[in-house]
C-alpha cells in the first residue's frame, strides 16, 4: 500500500506553533490589561457573516469587497463571507443587541480575519487583528484617547520607530466636493494615469492617492490636498485633536494623502507605520466612521476605532530584538515504575493544590530513568522531582537541580517538600 500523502496548510494561512504562542500571549495579555485600565470591554463576534454586511459597510468598490473576500453560497442559497475585518461585525452586533443608540460604548475584540491578498511577509490570507471600536462620542477627545492608548501599548511592548500618520477626510459633503476637484485634477492628462487609477477615477477617486505605483507619485504629490477642502466642523475637530495630541506629547505626521482602504471613514483617519517591516509597514490603522451605524440601518451614532495586525506587531518586536520569555516549569516529575507513578501523580496533585502558581510537568508515556531525565532537561524545568523504589519505601522524594550544575541533589521526606518549595521563593 502506498504511503498516504501529507496535507499542508493552504497558501497564506499559517499555524501558530507552541514555540511562537508565548509572544502572542504576551501581546494579547498586555493589550487586554491596558484596555481594562482604560475602561474597555471585550466583544466576541462571529467569523462568518452575511456578505451584504461587508458590501454595505466596507464599500462595493474597495479592493477588499471587489477582490479579496472569501465568499460562498450556503446550502440555503444565502451568501456568506469570512470576515475580512472586525468593524462591520462589531457595528452589526451593537445594533442587533441595542448597545449603540444613545449610549457610549468602548469595545475591543481580537481574532482571525480573512483576505485573499497576494501573500508575502507581513501579508497573509488569514491574519489576526486586535481592534477597538467606540460609539456615542462625537468629539476629538475619543479619537485622541484611542491614539494615546495605542502609543502606550508600543511603550509597554518596548517598540520604537513607529510613526503616527494623521489626516482628516472631512464630512461626507466636503468629501463629495473634494472628489469633484480631484477628478478634475486627475482628468487633465489621462495618459499620466495607470490602469488602476483610470478605473478609480470614476468609482473611487480618493483611492488614487493611495497608489503605490512609483510612476504616479509625482502626480499624486501635486494633487489638491483634502486638508485644504475640509468643512468647518471637520477642521475644528481636526485642530482640537492635534491640540490634544500635543498636550499628551504624542508626535504625529500630517499625511494629506492618507485615505484608508475602507469606505466608511469620515473626519479623522490615522495609521501607525514603521520602515522596519518592508512594504507591509502599517502596523495599525483606524479612524472615525460617523455614518456607518446609520448606513447599517440604525439611528445615527458617532463612532471611532482602529485595528492592529498582530503578525505585524509581532514581526516588529522580532525585528527589534524584543523577546518574550517562554514560561519555564519549576519541576518535572520523574517516576520509575507503576508504583512510583501512583505515588508521584498523587504528590503532584497535592503540590498543585498547595501552590496554585506551581508549574509542574509529570512524565507521561513511560520511559527509562535516563529517558525521563532527558525529557526533564528538554522541558527546561528548574528541578526534577524523582520518585523511585527507595522514595516510595521511605515516603520521600529526591530533588535534582537541573540548571545549576554545582548544586547537589537531595532526598527529603515528602512532608518537608512544602517547606523546601517555600524556601526557594519560586513564585516571587
Ligand atoms: P485595515 O487597515 O484594513 O483596517 O487593517 C488594520 C490592520 O490589519 C492593518 O494596519 C494591518 O496591520 C493588518 N492587516 C490588514 N490586512 C492584513 C493582511 N492581509 N495580513 C496581515 N495583516 C493585515 C481595518 O481592518 C479596520 N477595520 C480598522 C478599524 C477599526 N477602523 C475603525 N475601526
Amino acid at each position: 500500500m502506498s504511503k498516504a500523502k501529507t496535507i499542508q496548510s493552504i497558501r497564506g494561512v499559517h499555524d501558530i506553533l507552541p514555540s511562537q504562542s508565548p509572544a502572542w500571549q504576551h501581546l494579547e495579555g498586555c493589550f487586554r490589561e491596558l484596555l481594562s485600565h482604560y475602561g474597555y470591554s471585550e466583544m466576541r463576534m462571529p467569523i462568518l457573516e452575511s456578505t451584504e454586511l461587508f458590501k454595505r459597510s466596507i464599500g462595493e468598490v474597495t479592493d477588499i469587497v471587489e477582490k479579496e473576500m472569501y465568499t460562498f453560497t450556503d446550502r440555503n442559497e444565502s451568501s456568506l463571507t469570512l470576515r475580512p475585518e472586525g468593524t462591520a461585525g462589531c457595528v452589526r452586533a451593537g445594533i442587533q443587541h441595542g448597545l449603540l443608540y444613545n449610549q457610549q460604548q468602548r469595545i475591543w475584540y481580537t481574532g482571525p480575519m480573512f483576505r485573499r491578498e497576494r501573500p508575502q511577509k507581513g501579508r497573509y490570507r488569514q491574519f489576526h487583528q486586535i481592534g477597538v471600536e467606540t460609539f456615542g462620542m462625537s468629539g476629538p477627545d475619543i479619537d485622541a484617547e484611542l491614539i494615546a492608548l495605542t502609543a502606550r501599548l508600543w511603550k509597554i511592548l518596548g517598540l520604537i520607530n513607529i510613526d503616527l500618520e494623521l489626516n482628516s477626510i472631512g464630512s461626507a459633503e466636503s468629501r463629495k466636493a473634494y472628489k469633484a476637484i480631484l477628478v478634475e485634477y486627475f482628468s487633465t492628462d489621462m495618459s499620466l494615469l495607470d490602469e488602476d487609477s483610470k478605473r478609480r477615477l470614476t468609482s473611487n477617486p480618493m483611492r488614487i492617492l493611495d497608489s503605490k505605483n512609483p510612476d504616479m507619485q509625482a502626480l499624486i504629490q501635486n494633487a489638491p490636498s483634502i486638508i485644504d477642502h475640509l468643512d468647518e466642523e471637520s477642521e475644528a475637530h481636526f485642530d482640537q485633536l492635534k491640540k490634544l495630541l500635543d498636550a499628551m506629547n504624542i508626535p504625529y505626521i500630517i499625511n494629506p494623502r492618507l485615505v484608508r482602504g475602507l469606505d466608511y471613514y469620515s473626519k479623522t483617519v490615522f495609521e501607525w507605520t514603521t520602515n522596519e517591516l518592508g512594504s507591509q509597514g502599517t502596523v495599525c490603522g483606524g479612524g472615525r466612521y460617523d455614518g456607518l451605524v446609520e448606513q447599517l440601518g440604525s439611528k445615527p451614532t458617532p463612532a471611532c476605532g482602529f485595528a492592529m495586525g498582530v503578525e505585524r506587531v509581532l514581526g516588529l518586536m522580532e525585528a527589534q530584538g524584543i523577546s518574550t520569555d517562554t514560561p519555564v516549569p519549576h519541576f518535572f516529575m520523574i517516576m520509575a515504575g507503576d508504583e512510583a507513578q501512583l505515588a508521584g501523580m498523587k504528590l503532584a496533585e497535592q503540590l498543585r493544590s498547595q501552590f496554585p502558581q506551581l508549574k509542574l510537568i509529570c512524565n507521561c508515556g513511560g520511559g527509562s530513568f535516563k529517558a525521563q531525565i532527558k525529557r526533564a532537561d528538554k522541558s527546561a524545568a528548574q528541578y526534577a522531582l524523582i520518585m523511585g523504589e527507595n522514595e516510595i519505601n521511605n515516603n520521600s522524594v529526591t530533588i535534582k537541580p537541573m540548571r545549576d550544575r554545582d548544586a547537589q541533589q537531595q532526598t527529603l521526606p515528602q512532608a518537608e517538600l512544602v517547606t523546601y518549595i517555600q524556601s526557594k521563593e519560586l513564585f516571587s
Side-chain angles (χ1 to χ4, degrees), residues 293-327:
V293 177
E294 191 179 13
Q295 215 171 300
L296 290 178
S298 189
K299 303 229 170 61
T301 305
C304 188
F306 68 79
M308 65 185 71
V310 177
E311 286 84 351
R312 292 192 192 171
V313 176
L314 292 173
L316 190 58
M317 285 171 69
E318 201 184 318
Q320 296 185 358
I322 300 167
S323 62
T324 43
D325 293 337
T326 308

Side-chain angles (χ1 to χ4, degrees), residues 64 84-88 109 115 117 122-129 131-133 260-262 264-265 271-272 280 282-289 304-312:
I64 297 178
E85 58 104 54
T87 311
Y109 53 85
R115 296 184 194 176
E117 294 189 81
R123 189 166 73 192
Y124 310 106
R125 290 183 171 175
Q126 175 176 327
F127 61 98
H128 296 75
Q129 284 185 344
V132 169
E133 313 294 351
R260 309 270 304 130
L262 306 97
Y264 47 61
Y265 292 108
E271 282 184 356
W272 289 92
Q280 305 305 311
T282 306
V283 289
C284 176
R288 185 160 274 286
Y289 49 98
C304 188
F306 68 79
M308 65 185 71
V310 177
E311 286 84 351
R312 292 192 192 171

Side-chain angles (χ1 to χ4, degrees), residues 164-192:
L164 171 62
E165 296 186 29
L166 197 62
N167 192 17
S168 174
I169 57 167
S171 65
E173 298 76 55
S174 65
R175 241 178 357 264
K176 205 167 152 198
Y178 172 68
K179 277 181 191 169
I181 295 169
L182 211 54
V183 170
E184 200 185 319
Y185 169 79
F186 283 120
S187 309
T188 332
D189 185 353
M190 293 289 275
S191 68
L192 297 175

Side-chain angles (χ1 to χ4, degrees), residues 21-37 108 110 130 153 156-157 310 314 324:
S21 60
W24 285 71
Q25 287 169 357
H26 175 70
L27 170 57
E28 287 159 1
C30 288
F31 191 78
R32 183 172 282 126
E33 193 179 332
L34 177 71
L35 266 285
S36 84
H37 292 172
W108 69 270
T110 181
I130 297 180
L153 181 70
I156 291 169
L157 295 172
V310 177
L314 292 173
T324 43

